[in-house]
Structure formats: structure tokens, C-alpha cells
Amino acid sequence: MSTTFSAGDIDRSKGDFFFPERNKYDAGYGLTESTIDYICDVKNDPDWVRDFRKRALKVFHDKPMPTHWATRDLENIRFDDIRYYLSDGQKPKRSWDDVPEDVKKTFERLGIPEQERKFLAGVEAQYDSEAAYSNIQKAVSDQGVIFVNSSEGLKEHEEIFRPWFGKVIPTGDNKFSALNSAAFSGGSFIYVPKGVKVKHPLQAYFRINSENFGQFERTLIIVDEGAEVMYMEGCTAPKFETSTLHSAVVELVAMKGAKLQYVTVQNWSSNVFNLVTKRGIAHEEAEVKWIDCNIGSRLTMKYPGVIMKGRKARGEVISIALANSGQHQDTGAKMIHAADETTSNIVSKSISIGEGRATYRGQVHIPRHLKNCKNNTECDALLINSSSRTDTYPAITVRGNQHATQHEASVSQVSAEQIFYMQQRGLSEGQAMSLSVNGFINDLVREFPMEYSVELKRLIDLEMEDSVG
Amino acid sequence: MSLAINNLHARTGQRDILKGLTLEVPSGEVHAIMGPNGSGKSTLAKVLAGHEDYEVTAGTATLDGADILAMEADERSRAGLFLAFQYPIEIPGVSNANFLRAALQARQPEGVELDAVAFYHKMYAKMDVLEMNRQFTSRSVNEGFSGGEKKRNEILQLMMLEPKFAVLDETDSGLDIDALKVVAQGVNAMRSPERGFLVITHYQRLLDYIQPDVVHVLMDGRIVKTGGPDLALKLEAQGYDWLKEEVLVTA
Ligand SMILES: Nc1ncnc2c1ncn2[C@@H]1O[C@H](COP(=O)(O)OP(=O)(O)O)[C@@H](O)[C@H]1O
Ligand SMILES: [Mg+2]
């Protein structure tokens, strides 16, 4: 085992480094029924999971690529050149001291143990296919909160896990939810019992270390009546020559009066295909809020959604996307109103730099038979260069006349005069752009927990410095 | 120590705007530039500041001997050149305080953080001189400011950045007489033996409050006349026509 950084290691942005692989389990290239069997055997999956995966594999193969509406770049994913499961065969550790040296160093460089000490109620750190570290504060687990990886969740807590698993996002929702359902490994399972309000956030970090690899974590969070939790996830991968696939499924369930906030700060390297399905169900008077920041990747397709199933349920998506040259952020939100007096709010801001491309796709659905539903949609795009690109596809289907909806969209550009003005005050071109970009998203950044907003600003500064060279 | 401009020629597109402009402002002095609309006053200011729309085709400009024309716009600023814009730009989302902080931070040596407490003390003190409400610190730079508020904000930036040379481009336009006095007070507070000013104005009025040592007249891209403060009074009374004739005669 080697614990030194590889020669290709670059420290410019925190995530761009990797360690040599030392996998005990490697499912090999491509995804077939025998790959599924291999994964099930290694993970010791119960039969119902093996069946679930195999059915999903068929759906995945049967479903065409959604290129009739999405980018043709999807056709460049080489499913046969990807490895679908990699792990060193160790169980997740409860103490960082027990985590293998290279993995520990990785997460230390990403600042995870430090954040855990400072402000987190629990952490799960996933390295390729499996969690390497998983810990929850005793005070929190004593309240009955469960925070484990999904493999453990489905085995140890089947009675809570199984009724909701695959129910918020059915296998056949889209080609990539089917792919995840077939190959899933890792991700979190959280259960917060009735009335428990978890004060500090729970955090997961998803790290890809290996080349030609696909990461398919699966997260299920159930917040029982009147309970509250905030979950944060971060993700990075090194920059390899070949492309990497990340395809997660995240299902959230907020029972009556529950509050659930899900915060993402992703900073993928620029050759990751990031194709993620995220959706929550909000029961009566419950609130599901997605706070999402997408930086990096070659292509991100992600439209967090909320199904407002109970009266007075609320759904919210706050998202920031930053597309640099060679990147396409295809993001948005889905709000499905399925009960009276439900309220949804979408605020999306995208920034396109250089040849970068940002697409917003929104779907708001309010059927005719409902009363007094509200939606507010606001999407703003900022273009940094004349070659930058943005597209907006809002689909708002509101039937009946008892609802209130509001939709605003804007496209603006950082003008040469603004940059000159700031340069005249001594800021470099890169600093001037960073300042404008930070100004553009300032009100959304405030929605992120403080610790994350600092990180967010730093990541944006890095992107801007890069883009002006 | 001086801002020295020699035989400066500048153009935009196919059009020559500055046609051999020569001028020197020693540190400690205030020079005024007057001239009819369209004579090239703002162009001179922007060429000095390094605006990319203008191409310098001949001539030199030095700040304390350093060739500023070879510098990027931001380097010129950090070298000590300040331009108060005729039309200040709005920067949505960036608060005035953050903008000033960033500008001052850019002047700090590598790795040295600006002292935030000292910064706010200084900013509030300068705002008091300019009779600016504290709420302007958290408002976006120039966004929704009235014409007069924008001009005050330019002078606030000048007072915070303490440049070696300041070019003020029609800082008086859009100001009522009370605001004009306040702005002039700010500028006068900044006058010092180490600092030079080039005050561009269309009207003599400003020069009642910011008294110049020298007055230049800019016409058609050249300095056509230089004199004392009385030259400004004469222009105010008689307009530019007599000068145009004089220029024609000598040309
Ligand atoms: N960027 C530009 N593009 C084209 N013409 C310009 C530009 N800047 C200035 N000019 C022209 O140059 C002349 C001088 O302009 P300016 O320097 O703004 O004059 P002043 O400030 O003395 O009124 C004007 O005729 C103006 O239209
Ligand atoms: Mg002008």
C-alpha cells in the first residue's frame, strides 16, 4: 500500500489528486447480470435487493438515452469502459484513526475531519463504492436518529427502509435512476424519529479516487412527524484523462410537519458525467428544501423535485450553477403540487463563463382540482463572455384559476464597462469578475450554512481566476 | 514627481480623438482642463486609465517617471492613478463596502489581510466628510444612486484609495450647489504636496470651490491654451469661440 501522493498530483484545487488503487473487490468493466451478482455477493445483499437490481438492469437497458430533449453529449458515455464497483473490502470505521492512511489523508485534504469537529452532528465519507468512515454523535444517536450507509440501512433497518426505498423515485423514472437502481452502492440512510430536531447538520462526502469508474450512491432520508434535519453533501473527483460517471439517486420523505433541508456543494472535475435524480415527498405541512450548488463536471443533469402530497406542504429549490468552458450545467427543478394550499418556490441562478453552457429546465405542475396553490419561479442567468450560453425551458402547467403563480427570468452580462470600472480601482480582471459573480449570487449564498458559503466563494474565485488565465 | 503627458495621440476605430496632447501636472498642484463638448476630455481620462476602446498611436504618459501606458488598467490604479468617472458604473450585488475593501485589499502585500476594523473606521470618517448616509455602505455600488450620490461615491473611493494622482471627469455635473460644496470639500481635504489633480470640467463653477493652479483648454484633441484661474473666468464669460478663432489663426 502506498501512502504518498502520486506524481500527477496537483494541489491547485483541493480535489485534484488521487492515490494508487488497492481494491480488493473490482467488478470489472461493463454492467451485466453477472456484474450485479458480483456486487450482490460482495455486499451480501438480501434476495429482495438482488431482484430489485436485476429488474432495474433490464429497465436500464430498455430505456433509450433521453437525447430527444437532452444533450447528445450523453452518447459519449462509454458504459462498457466503466467499472461499476470498487472497494477495499473494509467496513466503514467509526474512528478516523482506523481509516486506512491514504483514504484518511484524502479526507483530511478535503477538510472533512476538521468540519466534523467544528460543526457536524455526523459524517459519512464514501471512497469510490463504499463508505470508509461513518460516525454520528452519541447524543444524536441516543435520540434514536439513524445515520448509516445504505447497505447497512437496508439490512439493519429493513422495516423502515424498504417501504420507502424506490417509492419516491421509481426505478423507471429515467434511464439513470434505473442505472443507479441496478448498481447502487453507498450513500446514506437516515431516519429521524418523531419530534426530534437535529441541531447540527449531518454530512456525507462522496469521493471518487479511481479512473474509469462509476459512483452510484443511493440516499434515503426519512424524517418522521414534526422532526427536523439538515443534510449536506459534498463531492469531488480527480481530473483523469478519461471520463468518470456519477449517477446518484436521492429520495427524501418528510412526514407530517417535518422539515428537511438538503444542501449540496459539488465540485466535480471537468470530465465527470454527473447524472443525478433527486426528489422528495412532503406530507401535510411538511417542508422539503433543496439547496444546490453545481460547480464543475463535464455534464450535470439534475432537477431536484418536491412532490407536495399533503395539505400546506412546501417545496423549495435554491440552486446555483456555474458552467465554465467545456462544461454544461443542465439543472432545474420539479414541483408537483398534489394537495390544496401547497406552496413551492424555485430560485435558480446560473453563471456561464467562456464557452460554458447553462440550461435551466423547470417543471411546475398544479392540477385543476386543487385549491390555493402557489408557485414562485425565478431564474436568472449571468453571462461572462460573449461566447457563453444560457437556455431556459420553464414548463409551468397550472390548471384551474384558484392558484397564484409568478415567473420571472432574466439574462444579464458582466459588461466590459463594469470590469473596467473595477480594474480602475485596482482589481485584476479575474478579481473583478469574481466580485461580479459573487454579487450576482449573493442572496442565494446566504441560504447556505456559513461554513459552506465560505467554501463556495473560494471555489467560485478559483473558477474565475482560471477562466481569465 | 508628476503626471507627464507628451504628444499623446489616441483613436477609437478609425477616428483620431487625441491629436498630440501635451501636459504636465506636478505633484501638489491642481490643474483644470476645460473644453467644449466632444473635444476629447473624457477620452483623455479613459486613455490615461487604460480603457481598451482606445488605441494610443503615439506619445507617452508617465506617472512619477513610470510608463503607465505599458500597464494594465488595474496596475495603473495600484501605481497610484485614480479616475473619478463622468458616468460611474453600477455593479449589482456588490456592496459599496465590499467593493472598497476588495480595492484596498488589492493594494496589500501578498498574504496580508486588510484590518477590517480600521477599514470601517476610516470609511465612516470619510463618509461623514461627504455627508453620506451609512446605508450606502451596504447598498450595491452606484445601483439606484442619484447622479449626485454617484459623484459623492466617486469621491469617497478617491478618499479611501489615496492615489498619487486623481483625474476628476466632470465631477460637478449633476450636482446642485450644496452637493457641489460637499464634494469640493472632500477633494480639498485630499489636496497635499504629494498628490496631483487633473480636474476636467465644462463649467467654471466648480473652480470656485476647487481652486486650480493652472487652467488648460482642450479643443479638438489638443491643449490650445494654458493660463491661470482667470482663464476659466474668461471662458465662462465669453465662451470658446474667441479661442477657436485664435487656434485657426495660429494653425
Ligand atoms: N468609444 C468611442 N467610440 C466612438 N466615438 C467616441 C468614443 N469615445 C469618444 N468618442 C468621440 O470622441 C469625441 C470626444 O469625446 P469625449 O472624449 O467624450 O468628449 P468630452 O468628454 O470632451 O465631451 C466625441 O466626438 C465622441 O463622440
Ligand atoms: Mg466628457
Side-chain angles (χ1 to χ4, degrees):
Chain A
M1 187 182 92
S2 165
T3 56
T4 50
F5 290 111
S6 68
D9 167 75
I10 305 159
D11 197 21
R12 194 199 54 75
S13 75
K14 267 201 316 199
D16 195 12
F17 63 90
F18 61 94
F19 285 95
E21 289 178 31
R22 38 165 197 79
N23 296 304
K24 184 168 167 207
Y25 300 110
D26 180 341
Y29 292 88
L31 185 62
T32 62
E33 191 133 325
S34 63
T35 325
I36 301 289
D37 280 324
Y38 180 88
I39 295 173
C40 291
D41 292 344
V42 171
K43 296 177 78 72
N44 200 15
D45 278 339
D47 286 344
W48 71 269
V49 174
R50 194 183 293 256
D51 293 344
F52 178 89
R53 290 181 187 278
K54 289 193 176 169
R55 279 196 306 272
L57 181 67
K58 259 191 73 58
V59 177
F60 169 64
H61 285 313
D62 290 348
K63 272 200 180 285
M65 276 290 190
T67 41
H68 56 289
W69 60 269
T71 168
R72 298 190 75 88
D73 193 24
L74 286 172
E75 286 164 2
N76 294 315
I77 303 173
R78 298 268 159 269
F79 290 104
D80 291 338
D81 296 343
I82 288 169
R83 290 176 292 173
Y84 289 77
Y85 183 87
L86 293 175
S87 94
D88 64 2
Q90 300 199 34
K91 287 229 157 0
K93 303 297 189 284
R94 300 280 178 233
S95 156
W96 285 108
D97 290 339
D98 300 333
V99 173
E101 199 58 26
D102 51 349
V103 180
K104 189 171 127 186
K105 274 207 175 141
T106 297
F107 289 110
E108 274 173 355
R109 269 184 93 162
L110 298 166
I112 311 303
E114 193 191 338
Q115 290 177 357
E116 181 180 14
R117 283 192 299 275
K118 280 193 187 149
F119 65 94
L120 297 171
V123 167
E124 191 191 320
Q126 178 166 337
Y127 196 78
D128 290 341
S129 295
E130 295 289 359
Y133 173 86
S134 176
N135 191 32
I136 178 168
Q137 276 179 4
K138 190 170 174 305
V140 180
S141 61
D142 283 351
Q143 291 177 291
V145 176
I146 300 168
F147 179 33
V148 293
N149 65 74
S150 65
S151 320
E152 200 176 323
L154 66 87
K155 275 179 233 161
E156 309 296 325
H157 307 281
E158 187 183 329
E159 71 293 352
I160 324 173
F161 185 97
R162 200 168 162 181
W164 285 110
F165 178 72
K167 296 300 190 309
V168 186
I169 301 170
T171 295
D173 186 81
N174 65 77
K175 190 170 177 75
F176 296 97
S177 61
L179 171 61
N180 176 282
S181 300
F184 76 93
S185 181
S188 308
F189 170 65
I190 295 173
Y191 172 75
V192 185
K194 276 185 192 171
V196 172
K197 297 184 167 134
V198 185
K199 271 202 220 89
H200 299 286
L202 298 171
Q203 177 176 289
Y205 201 95
F206 300 99
R207 173 67 181 172
I208 292 176
N209 183 67
S210 303
E211 195 165 2
N212 304 320
F213 171 65
Q215 192 174 51
F216 307 99
E217 88 267 12
R218 178 103 193 181
T219 290
L220 172 60
I221 302 178
I222 300 163
V223 187
D224 217 328
E225 291 181 11
E228 292 179 14
V229 73
M230 176 189 267
Y231 177 85
M232 317 206 292
E233 64 166 352
C235 13
T236 54
K239 190 169 162 66
F240 292 118
E241 289 302 311
T242 54
S243 53
T244 309
L245 178 59
H246 175 258
S247 190
V249 165
V250 177
E251 299 177 285
L252 309 182
V253 181
M255 303 305 286
K256 187 177 175 186
K259 272 192 183 171
L260 174 44
Q261 285 195 31
Y262 192 108
V263 183
T264 304
V265 178
Q266 71 165 51
N267 180 26
W268 291 116
S269 58
S270 55
N271 42 15
V272 174
F273 283 96
N274 180 46
L275 311 164
V276 173
T277 312
K278 289 180 163 173
R279 198 169 303 150
I281 291 183
H283 290 91
E284 195 174 324
E285 295 189 10
E287 179 183 304
V288 170
K289 182 170 183 174
W290 299 96
I291 303 177
D292 203 21
C293 177
N294 300 300
I295 298 178
S297 83
R298 167 172 171 173
L299 171 66
T300 287
M301 289 173 65
K302 192 205 285 180
Y303 323 97
V306 183
I307 302 164
M308 286 148 279
K309 225 180 155 196
R311 206 177 62 92
K312 289 195 171 172
R314 291 182 305 276
E316 193 163 3
V317 172
I318 302 286
S319 86
I320 298 172
L322 198 144
N324 224 321
S325 292
Q327 300 177 348
H328 184 178
Q329 304 285 3
D330 196 322
T331 61
K334 275 187 184 162
M335 292 296 181
I336 311 297
H337 291 254
D340 291 342
E341 297 174 67
T342 46
T343 308
S344 61
N345 184 35
I346 302 170
V347 185
S348 154
K349 295 204 178 190
S350 70
I351 301 140
S352 311
I353 310 165
E355 316 269 293
R357 180 173 173 199
T359 304
Y360 169 83
R361 290 178 210 273
Q363 190 191 333
V364 176
H365 181 72
I366 307 180
R368 189 185 300 278
H369 66 276
L370 298 182
K371 287 194 214 47
N372 300 328
C373 298
K374 279 189 200 147
N375 166 261
N376 175 58
T377 299
E378 194 183 320
C379 45
D380 300 317
L382 182 69
L383 304 176
I384 300 289
N385 309 90
S386 51
S387 51
S388 316
R389 178 170 169 194
T390 184
D391 317 282
T392 303
Y393 306 96
I396 303 186
T397 49
V398 180
R399 311 255 183 254
N401 51 9
Q402 310 187 62
H403 310 296
T405 58
Q406 195 174 327
H407 180 241
E408 280 176 40
S410 76
V411 178
S412 50
Q413 188 159 12
V414 177
S415 69
E417 293 303 321
Q418 285 171 333
I419 298 296
F420 175 64
Y421 186 77
M422 291 188 263
Q423 282 190 288
Q424 209 307 299
R425 299 309 186 236
L427 303 177
S428 68
E429 195 183 348
Q431 288 168 334
M433 284 188 186
S434 278
L435 208 59
S436 305
V437 166
N438 277 309
F440 173 69
I441 57 170
N442 212 357
D443 51 337
L444 296 196
V445 171
R446 274 188 228 122
E447 301 261 347
F448 286 73
M450 221 272 279
E451 294 78 7
Y452 268 45
S453 58
V454 172
E455 171 71 1
L456 211 76
K457 284 202 162 138
R458 201 191 62 82
L459 289 175
I460 288 167
D461 288 348
L462 269 175
E463 289 287 320
M464 301 313 297
E465 271 165 35
D466 255 26
S467 64
V468 289
Chain B
M1 298 289 110
S2 70
L3 174 67
I5 303 161
N6 192 27
N7 189 33
L8 191 63
H9 289 255
R11 55 167 27 200
T12 179
Q14 291 305 305
R15 181 142 176 224
D16 293 317
I17 304 177
L18 301 184
K19 303 169 182 172
L21 188 143
T22 299
L23 176 69
E24 182 165 3
V25 187
S27 291
E29 291 190 8
V30 174
H31 287 208
I33 292 192
M34 300 186 71
N37 275 332
S39 58
K41 302 185 297 295
S42 292
T43 299
L44 170 64
K46 286 192 241 173
V47 166
L48 290 175
H51 195 292
E52 64 180 9
D53 278 359
Y54 304 94
E55 181 198 352
V56 173
T57 50
T60 59
T62 58
L63 183 71
D64 293 354
D67 176 11
I68 56 167
L69 298 182
M71 300 178 194
E72 294 293 329
D74 54 313
E75 293 175 284
R76 299 182 196 200
S77 166
R78 294 193 302 270
L81 182 76
F82 182 90
L83 167 60
F85 286 69
Q86 180 173 4
Y87 303 107
I89 307 296
E90 301 187 358
I91 311 173
V94 179
S95 77
N96 241 342
N98 280 348
F99 182 53
L100 275 172
R101 259 179 98 157
L104 283 166
Q105 183 63 49
R107 287 160 168 77
Q108 296 284 102
E110 187 82 28
V112 180
E113 274 293 315
L114 191 71
D115 178 344
V117 177
F119 163 77
Y120 276 98
H121 274 298
K122 181 172 169 182
M123 182 171 63
Y124 290 148
K126 306 295 182 198
M127 289 175 81
D128 288 346
V129 173
L130 294 169
E131 297 175 13
M132 280 175 85
N133 191 305
R134 295 273 157 95
Q135 58 139 345
F136 282 101
T137 54
S138 53
R139 282 179 58 180
S140 295
V141 178
N142 296 327
E143 197 180 39
F145 287 24
S146 71
E149 286 163 350
K150 284 182 181 168
K151 295 302 175 74
R152 272 184 218 222
N153 207 30
E154 293 293 290
I155 303 306
L156 174 64
Q157 294 177 28
L158 164 74
M159 295 177 89
M160 292 299 288
L161 298 180
E162 301 178 333
K164 287 187 197 160
F165 276 89
V167 179
L168 311 187
D169 191 2
E170 298 213 20
T171 297
D172 52 332
S173 65
L175 292 183
D176 60 35
I177 194 72
D178 292 328
L180 183 66
K181 282 182 190 164
V182 171
V183 162
Q185 204 168 303
V187 173
N188 288 328
M190 294 300 288
R191 289 179 80 152
S192 97
E194 286 82 45
R195 186 169 293 124
F197 286 88
L198 194 56
V199 179
I200 295 171
T201 181
H202 196 62
Y203 301 103
Q204 192 273 336
R205 185 180 73 150
L206 176 70
L207 305 179
D208 287 339
Y209 301 98
I210 303 173
Q211 267 143 23
D213 300 294
V214 178
V215 175
H216 305 276
V217 182
L218 175 58
M219 280 172 87
D220 195 25
R222 264 176 290 237
I223 300 295
V224 295
K225 194 155 190 83
T226 295
D230 49 324
L231 178 57
L233 292 169
K234 183 168 181 191
L235 289 169
E236 183 77 2
Q238 301 178 19
Y240 291 96
D241 288 347
W242 62 277
L243 256 178
K244 281 183 191 151
E245 280 160 27
E246 218 180 276
V247 172
L248 277 179
V249 172
T250 51

